[in-house]
Amino acid sequence: MAFQKVVIIGYGKVTGDILIYVKARQKDYGCQLEFIEHEIHPFSITEKICSENEIPFVRIEDKRELAAYLHKIREKTLLISASNNFLFPKSLVEKENVTIINFHNALLPAYPGRNAPSWVIFMGEKETGITWHYVTAGIDEGNIIIQRTCAIGEDVKAYELTEQLMTLAYEAFKACFDMVMEERAEAREQGFEPGRRMYRSYEVPSDGVFDLTEDTAQIYRLLRSVDYGKAGIFPVLRTKIDGQAAQILRYRKVPAAKQPAISDGGNETEGFIYLPLGEDSMLKLKYRKME
């Protein structure tokens, strides 16, 4: 029996794109469609999309209330977790009438857990991608439905890579949607080793601290890995300058010729410090010493 209902949960652009796509395909499968907003974002577009397309919209912020609501589903349902941080309880995952698929922003089995774009940048990976997989009781352990890859640019920031991965996720979703709906997707096991590294939401690359004596390329990777623009996902990075704790307010890769001349022969100016980054570039850091 085909899925009688499709429930989408998530936030952001990829969720909005998926909402519109599934709505356009709804008649092909004669299924009900519903959207659940669990994480509230100030510039969310999903409620507007639901209103314009007559998609039932439910907002449930409390985790227990959301779990209870999902447990009440009686129809054969496909639950699409798109850019969603809610962990589905084992009792829901194991319900016979519910199938859950999830988008993960890395190439599983590598980098399971949270903030994968940050970790692939920090670790100096050259390639990453996205994974759509079935959800099981273990975090990011389910069989892989489809993956897409992309290169990691040498100057890419976490928010830029995240946007790129969202685009890949939508393209891959469209490619596998019919196979999932018709229950003919040839999913494959991840094949990961027991005890693999799981990245948690509270973890920060390098614990949010670096030393100016470290390799500048590594410092640059760290700065880019926590850079989500105004989203403020991670705390401000910290270091020591002249033995005093300092916060890094901004950073920029600049041509070496733009480094100002320093009369005392050092490499520090008031509020800024320049670190050599390759033959022709400098890493310019704006800092504020802490009291």
Side-chain angles (χ1 to χ4, degrees):
M1 181 176 68
F3 290 107
Q4 299 168 299
K5 186 173 185 177
V6 175
V7 177
I8 300 172
I9 178 171
Y11 62 88
K13 184 179 184 301
V14 66
T15 304
D17 290 340
I18 288 172
L19 258 175
I20 294 171
Y21 180 79
V22 176
K23 175 62 178 179
R25 300 295 311 280
Q26 188 178 4
K27 290 183 180 179
D28 296 339
Y29 292 98
C31 58
Q32 302 173 48
L33 175 60
E34 177 179 283
F35 176 73
I36 299 176
E37 183 179 69
H38 171 58
E39 298 171 80
I40 312 302
H41 288 256
F43 304 108
S44 176
I45 59 173
T46 49
E47 185 173 10
K48 183 174 184 290
I49 289 173
C50 288
S51 176
E52 293 174 347
N53 292 275
E54 299 182 336
I55 301 171
F57 175 91
V58 181
R59 178 178 288 122
I60 308 175
E61 296 183 58
D62 184 82
K63 293 180 180 179
R64 292 184 179 180
E65 289 181 15
L66 177 55
Y69 182 85
L70 294 173
H71 268 290
K72 293 178 182 178
I73 294 175
R74 296 290 175 262
E75 304 92 337
K76 183 174 181 180
T77 298
L78 174 66
L79 204 164
I80 301 170
S81 170
S83 193
N84 159 58
N85 294 320
F86 175 72
L87 296 179
F88 300 99
K90 181 180 180 181
S91 54
L92 175 66
V93 172
E94 295 179 348
K95 285 190 68 174
E96 292 186 359
N97 65 309
V98 175
T99 297
I100 308 174
I101 65 171
N102 177 65
F103 148 56
H104 183 70
N105 52 3
L107 294 171
L108 293 174
Y111 297 99
R114 296 287 295 274
N115 301 319
S118 293
W119 291 103
V120 296
I121 292 174
F122 177 67
M123 297 299 290
E125 301 285 2
K126 303 299 182 184
E127 184 180 78
T128 188
I130 64 92
T131 304
W132 281 97
H133 65 97
Y134 287 106
V135 173
T136 61
I139 298 174
D140 294 333
E141 292 184 359
N143 289 355
I144 293 170
I145 301 167
I146 192 171
Q147 292 184 309
R148 290 286 188 270
T149 63
C150 67
I152 301 175
E154 63 178 15
D155 297 313
V156 73
K157 301 173 178 63
Y159 73 86
E160 295 170 332
L161 182 57
T162 298
E163 292 172 0
Q164 189 175 353
L165 294 175
M166 293 291 186
T167 300
L168 279 182
Y170 178 54
E171 293 173 355
F173 176 81
K174 291 188 293 181
C176 72
F177 178 72
D178 289 308
M179 292 185 291
V180 171
M181 287 293 290
E182 296 164 16
E183 297 184 286
R184 57 181 177 84
E186 297 181 0
R188 58 183 174 85
E189 293 185 2
Q190 293 190 35
F192 54 85
E193 295 292 330
R196 67 173 172 168
R197 169 84 152 88
M198 182 67 62
Y199 295 86
R200 307 295 181 178
S201 60
Y202 57 80
E203 292 183 282
V204 183
S206 191
D207 294 326
V209 179
F210 67 92
D211 193 290
L212 293 175
T213 62
E214 294 176 29
D215 178 62
T216 307
Q218 175 63 23
I219 295 173
Y220 187 40
R221 285 200 300 271
L222 172 61
L223 288 159
R224 292 185 289 111
S225 75
V226 300
D227 187 350
Y228 284 89
K230 296 181 179 180
I233 292 177
F234 291 113
V236 176
L237 293 182
R238 291 165 289 125
T239 188
K240 282 189 176 181
I241 298 176
D242 294 332
Q244 186 175 347
Q247 294 178 319
I248 302 302
L249 306 179
R250 290 195 300 276
Y251 72 98
R252 189 154 58 99
K253 180 181 178 180
V254 298
K258 286 196 173 183
Q259 180 185 1
I262 310 297
S263 58
D264 62 2
N267 67 348
E268 183 181 343
T269 60
E270 186 61 32
F272 293 93
I273 194 165
Y274 291 78
L275 302 174
L277 183 60
E279 294 182 1
D280 304 316
S281 301
M282 302 290 291
L283 181 58
K284 179 181 179 181
L285 306 177
K286 179 175 176 58
Y287 66 89
R288 177 176 59 211
K289 289 186 177 179
M290 301 167 64
E291 298 296 332

